[in-house]
Amino acid sequence: MNILLLGSGGREHAFAWKIIQSPECSRLYVAPGNAGTAEIAQNVPLSITDFPGIQQFVLDQAIDIVIVGPEEPLVKGLVDYLQAQPDTATLPIVGPSQLGATLEGSKDFSKRFMQRHGVPTAAYETFTADQIEAGLAYLEKQSLPIVLKADGLAAGKGVLICQTLDEAKTSLKEMLLDAKFGDASSKVVVEEFLTGIELSVFVATDGKSYKILPEAKDYKRIGEGDTGLNTGGMGAVSPVIFADEAFIKKVEDRIVKPTIAGLEIDNIDYKGFLFIGLMNKDGEPSVIEYNVRMGDPETEAVLPRIQSDFLGLLKGIATGTLSEYELKISPEYATTVVMVSGGYPGSYEKGFPISLPETVENAVIFHAGTAKDPAGDIVNQGGRVIAVTGFGKELGEAVTNAFAAVEKISWEKAYYRRDIGQDILKLNN
Ligand code: AMP
Ligand code: GLY
């Protein structure tokens, strides 16, 4: 198969690493890719939102399947675009239609979807600018803290957890009346604050059938002990010890099944991954959010645990034959540590050469924001630069293996959290 993978993060390097292990992979192109994908596949200088360019590339290179990593092209309608052209109307694609992608692109849409299909989630109301008075009155009646969410995509910044009524009222006004998050906050979801422990469950679906992939927990804050600013994700572990079989069964029965059924009932064409962000409160799951793609860095911990042919899974998703696919998961633990540019998530310097080891033990190195400079050095190019996944029979061993590999990697001002996995190890003791 000739394969086109869209994206350039650690998630896409992990996808590429897994795809090339498949006997069915002939050629793998990654657009635009990074220095890591360049070593194992062919990078293509195509923007992920250049829909005509992508379509032309598919035709020129006789691409058999397109795999979309990030949400942006999905929310902008790439799948519908390709399906609307006769030449690519039946092209297998991993990624939902624009309507399906609205589950991530609009929080109000996804809350209404959950409510309609009986999926457990926090109580909420949605407000627009002309409903500001009703919104402020609603806030008065809620308990604190209270969660305000910009309806649209806001680069992970659109969620505010307000501790006081004053703060909530000010924020609601800023979001609705002053376009604090631009167009994304022209609608605001006001939502009950959920307590408990967060984790994510990943589902592959062809819209009818589904497979539950390994769950993961990520570490969102920049600082150790979950402090400081939010990031794209500083680490991940899989499996998650506190999500036992009984919990995952509840997630399947109460969340995955009604969600997949809901897609069919609503006539939403969905062939792709669904990332379900969950709160576990005393063993009871409720949905915080849907994302219409795999997580990053969760993918770097989840994918290595898939033992069955990954390209087969992708084909099953894209061609509607997922029910025939047998998913095999390794029981081993994976821990991913993300190394970032110093200063991230604020401003940071780029272009420092990265020193990488020849080999690592019981670990694998994925590139994220890396590039080759004109001198041929691999340099840091983005905020999140390298994701290292360590493996082990126990979580502690996976953590040790991940950090042993991290210590062999360096560049000027590199930073990483040293406490990835520690909270779970403590829970376990
Ligand atoms: P989101 O952008 O929807 O992923 O939200 C970002 C983060 O805000 C989540 O990962 C949670 O940690 C937190 N969060 C979102 N909604 C809630 C909620 N209803 N209760 C508690 N925390 C929340
Ligand atoms: N790690 C969270 C995300 O991919 O959205």
Side-chain angles (χ1 to χ4, degrees):
M1 292 178 88
N2 296 330
I3 302 151
L4 174 62
L5 169 64
L6 301 180
S8 60
R11 169 181 51 211
E12 285 75 24
H13 190 188
F15 266 68
W17 172 79
K18 203 72 189 163
I19 287 169
I20 60 164
Q21 293 171 29
S22 171
E24 274 197 273
C25 172
S26 322
R27 288 204 166 159
L28 173 63
Y29 300 95
V30 189
N34 58 38
T37 61
E39 283 172 6
I40 58 172
Q42 192 174 327
N43 282 358
V44 186
L46 252 183
S47 156
I48 56 170
T49 53
D50 174 7
F51 294 177
I54 290 168
Q55 204 232 1
Q56 196 56 52
F57 186 85
V58 164
L59 297 176
D60 291 347
Q61 302 302 327
I63 296 295
D64 298 301
I65 186 168
V66 173
I67 297 137
V68 187
E71 66 279 10
E72 193 190 358
L74 299 168
V75 172
K76 291 188 169 155
L78 173 64
V79 174
D80 310 65
Y81 178 89
L82 293 173
Q83 287 174 347
Q85 324 278 322
D87 290 340
T88 46
T90 58
L91 173 72
I93 308 170
V94 176
S97 64
Q98 190 166 29
L99 184 59
T102 312
L103 285 176
E104 177 164 357
S106 164
K107 306 245 187 231
D108 176 54
F109 178 89
S110 79
K111 293 294 283 189
R112 280 188 283 129
F113 178 93
M114 288 183 242
Q115 216 165 41
R116 192 159 62 241
H117 300 294
V119 174
T121 187
Y124 81 105
E125 284 285 335
T126 302
F127 300 96
T128 55
D130 50 14
Q131 297 165 319
I132 182 72
E133 290 310 322
L136 295 171
Y138 180 80
L139 286 177
E140 301 259 0
K141 288 179 279 162
Q142 306 309 309
S143 43
L144 294 164
I146 183 93
V147 185
L148 268 52
K149 298 184 171 182
D151 176 61
L153 293 182
K157 298 194 174 81
V159 175
L160 302 178
I161 296 172
C162 301
Q163 302 295 337
T164 67
L165 181 60
D166 261 3
E167 192 188 335
K169 284 182 163 177
T170 305
S171 299
L172 186 67
K173 284 189 236 168
E174 285 173 356
M175 289 167 92
L176 288 177
L177 306 179
D178 310 333
K180 184 179 172 100
F181 300 107
D183 243 13
S185 64
S186 63
K187 270 189 202 171
V188 173
V189 169
V190 179
E191 185 176 287
E192 168 199 8
F193 180 78
L194 299 171
T195 56
I197 321 184
E198 260 184 90
L199 76 157
S200 299
V201 167
F202 300 91
V203 179
T205 182
D206 58 9
K208 306 182 292 283
S209 169
Y210 65 85
K211 303 285 172 189
I212 299 183
L213 307 179
E215 75 286 352
K217 178 189 187 300
D218 81 336
Y219 294 78
K220 288 195 169 70
R221 304 289 185 127
I222 188 70
E224 286 171 13
D226 291 323
T227 54
L229 293 174
N230 251 324
T231 71
M234 296 296 292
V237 297
S238 178
V240 180
I241 297 167
F242 60 79
D244 55 14
E245 224 172 288
F247 179 79
I248 297 294
K249 177 87 172 76
K250 285 183 196 170
V251 171
E252 177 165 15
D253 290 343
R254 298 180 196 170
I255 295 168
V256 177
K257 284 183 180 165
T259 298
I260 303 300
L263 293 171
E264 270 204 284
I265 293 165
D266 292 352
N267 254 318
I268 298 175
D269 184 19
Y270 203 111
K271 294 183 169 66
F273 293 100
L274 183 67
F275 161 156
I276 308 177
L278 293 170
M279 195 66 92
N280 172 345
K281 186 179 188 201
D282 305 325
E284 304 300 318
S286 78
V287 176
I288 296 177
E289 62 169 346
Y290 292 123
N291 293 308
V292 299
R293 51 174 173 84
M294 288 296 290
D296 194 350
E298 292 91 329
T299 299
E300 293 94 299
V302 166
L303 253 52
R305 297 188 54 223
I306 297 179
Q307 289 173 316
S308 39
D309 179 35
F310 185 60
L311 185 53
L313 176 73
L314 297 170
K315 232 170 61 176
I317 294 170
T319 60
T321 56
L322 193 59
S323 63
E324 295 160 29
Y325 180 80
E326 199 187 329
L327 179 68
K328 273 214 197 91
I329 302 297
S330 156
E332 80 180 341
Y333 284 78
T335 298
T336 302
V337 178
V338 177
M339 303 178 73
V340 304
S341 298
Y344 171 83
S347 60
Y348 50 84
E349 283 175 72
K350 301 178 187 179
F352 296 120
I354 302 170
S355 150
L356 289 156
E358 290 280 325
T359 56
V360 286
E361 269 168 58
N362 296 314
V364 50
I365 298 171
F366 297 114
H367 289 226
T370 65
K372 242 184 194 168
D373 73 3
D377 284 327
I378 292 177
V379 298
N380 70 317
Q381 165 94 350
R384 295 191 291 166
V385 179
I386 296 279
V388 178
T389 301
F391 306 105
K393 284 200 172 59
E394 302 294 339
L395 178 59
E397 196 184 321
V399 168
T400 303
N401 287 329
F403 284 102
V406 163
E407 275 156 28
K408 295 181 176 173
I409 304 169
S410 61
W411 70 91
E412 252 183 86
K413 301 188 178 148
Y415 168 79
Y416 58 89
R417 275 179 63 167
R418 288 161 299 168
D419 66 341
I420 304 302
Q422 291 304 328
D423 53 338
I424 298 187
L425 287 170
K426 272 189 204 124
L427 274 181
N428 217 26
N429 287 332

